[in-house]
Amino acid sequence: MDTNVAQAPQSPQVRGLYDRLEDRCLMRDQKGASDVYYELVRAGRPLNEIVAEGVRIHAPYTHVPYHERIDDGYPNFVNNDHCLLSARATINLTRMLPAHLAMLPMAQTVWYIPTGLDIWNQKIDKAPGHYTRHRGNNQVEENPPAPVAYWPDQEPLAQTGPLKERLNNWMTQVHRGQVIDAYRMFLGNMQNPAERKDVLAEMCFAGLIDVQDRVLHNRSYTTGHKAYRARATVELGNALGWENAHNVIYAGALDIAVGPRWYSTYEVACNYIKMMIEGETLRAIPYGGVSEAELAMLRNQEPVNQQEAAELTTAVVRQGEIETLEALTKLLKAGKDPRRILDVLQIAVGQIVMETQDPNAFNMPHHCYEYHNTLAWFWDNFDHPRRLRLLYVAAMFANRVAYNQQGLGEVHPIPLKVPAGAGAMSADQMLDRIDTAICALNGAEAIGWVQAYCDNVSERDKLVQRIALSSCKLGNDPHNQEIAQCMLMDFGTNRQPDRDRLLLAAAYHTAMHRKYGDPGEPSRRFGQAMGFAELH
């Protein structure tokens, strides 16, 4: 399904459907919102229009004053918006599914939106949603309090001067946490279509440098979410057309300056490159810009061989930060292509995911995986001069997450057990077994069948499609289902010979990650409403 098409004119009847959708979302009525969505699908409304309306509805109510609270002396994390991330996953998952099920991913998004509003008040049990239910507050609220819009939309602030100077001014406001000023500057910078790509690149860059400096035993952290929200802004804006994307910008770009902001890992990357790539001794003077030595590394073209990949993986997954930094630098100095080094890091993080067993312990591994996917997407879409530093950030983030899993006791390498007799089965029979295992939440069995398929069938398109479909059957927080989409996407761009492991990781994570409520309910309802027996 092509999402990048002109929006069809809306009749009064269609406008009425969207008004009802908004009402049901604001009343936190998942079933009612979903029923309206089914009517929209039956009416043949285009996906991009429904996505745009969904973002319009939730955009004011998915911001928070700050992504952390201090409650009676205790730091508590206030999470980022999953509604926008789900819409981004939707436009990608739609392309991976059988054509007749192309509207299933958006069904998951619409099911989630009513639970994703006003996270700040959910956290303190003053608004309905996942967090109040998780506390055991399952009381049905007939008249829930209206969700709060903490940051009102703004008018653009036009600046004069070269774009580089204006982007530096914007970044300064982001760094200082001047949310409204930064947002207005961003809107102003977006006015010129000729400059738009560079403006969007800098927004994504600002998200990618915002990664916390420790993980183990923290619950208040920045897990790369600023980058995921920025990336969603870009992908949705491209899909809808920027003339239709103001609500997307409001939902995504404003959040970049909301605190807390963590730049210490990025600072390490800057300083390490200055010392180990450029050969300088750091001094107490201001630094800036990008050196020719750093830019030269971006031009490396040598592939990473299997021995080199194994050495980097061991450093990241089993050793410490120093070993990780040294292994990465060694590869760069040997002329290895940094984009292909990122391929190795993706598979390493996939290994960390597959060594995790407790459904509640996937939080850091799967966010780390999404960071590596987002960085690869950024690398492939923007020629940003500072992206080498982000490779160092990614490697340190992965190493930190591996240490976190060790500290939690979540290092459980799963021996691949290919089911007996799999070789005598047809490809479709094995695909059915994969789907059954994933939907039964049996991760070990799922990867066994995926491995059996990879051992016996040369093509991968049907396997990718089936894992994507399985991920779309399991909802209630589609940010989690988004991780499979990231892994499947990377399987298509990763050039390492063992990239099949990303398919194993996608199936395993989909089966194993923490679920909320009945994860099959949204897809069953969609299947029943639309007459798709395979979803019942």
Side-chain angles (χ1 to χ4, degrees), residues 79 114 136 139 184 259 321 397 435 448 534:
N79 53 293
Q139 181 180 0
R184 292 190 65 205
E321 185 169 284
F397 189 11
D435 181 80
E534 65 262 54

Side-chain angles (χ1 to χ4, degrees), residues 4 32 81 88 91 115 131 136 152 179 276 292 296 298 337 340 351 419 461 471 488 494 504 507 512 519:
N4 193 11
D81 168 37
R88 186 209 69 81
I91 62 173
T115 72
Y131 291 96
V179 179
M276 301 303 175
E292 177 52 37
L298 293 173
D337 184 340
R340 307 282 66 96
Q351 179 176 329
D461 290 348
S471 76
L488 296 174
N494 195 296
L504 300 176
M512 294 294 292

Side-chain angles (χ1 to χ4, degrees), residues 105-180:
M106 191 62 193
Q108 292 283 6
T109 299
V110 171
W111 179 264
Y112 178 77
I113 287 173
T115 72
L117 307 182
D118 202 353
I119 291 294
W120 184 268
N121 278 323
Q122 283 194 45
K123 286 285 187 173
I124 53 178
D125 211 18
K126 289 185 177 180
H130 278 323
Y131 291 96
T132 50
R133 293 171 192 160
H134 193 62
R135 286 189 182 92
N137 181 359
N138 295 312
Q139 181 180 0
V140 175
E141 298 193 41
E142 297 295 335
N143 294 293
V148 179
Y150 297 100
W151 300 103
D153 205 353
Q154 300 291 318
E155 294 296 323
L157 176 62
Q159 302 177 76
T160 59
L163 179 61
K164 181 178 180 181
E165 179 181 308
R166 287 182 275 129
L167 291 178
N168 281 336
N169 291 340
W170 172 77
M171 184 71 82
T172 297
Q173 298 306 308
V174 169
H175 192 191
R176 293 176 179 174
Q178 299 295 323
V179 179
I180 295 299

Side-chain angles (χ1 to χ4, degrees), residues 8 14 19 24 26 60 66 86-87 116 180 224 248-249 253 273 312 325 334 338 389 449 467 478 485 501 504 532:
V14 170
D19 289 343
R24 290 301 85 201
L26 298 189
Y66 204 77
S86 178
I180 295 299
V248 170
I249 296 170
I273 288 173
L312 178 60
L325 292 170
R389 302 172 193 181
W449 282 111
I467 296 172
Q485 184 267 313
R501 293 187 63 79
L504 300 176
F532 298 132

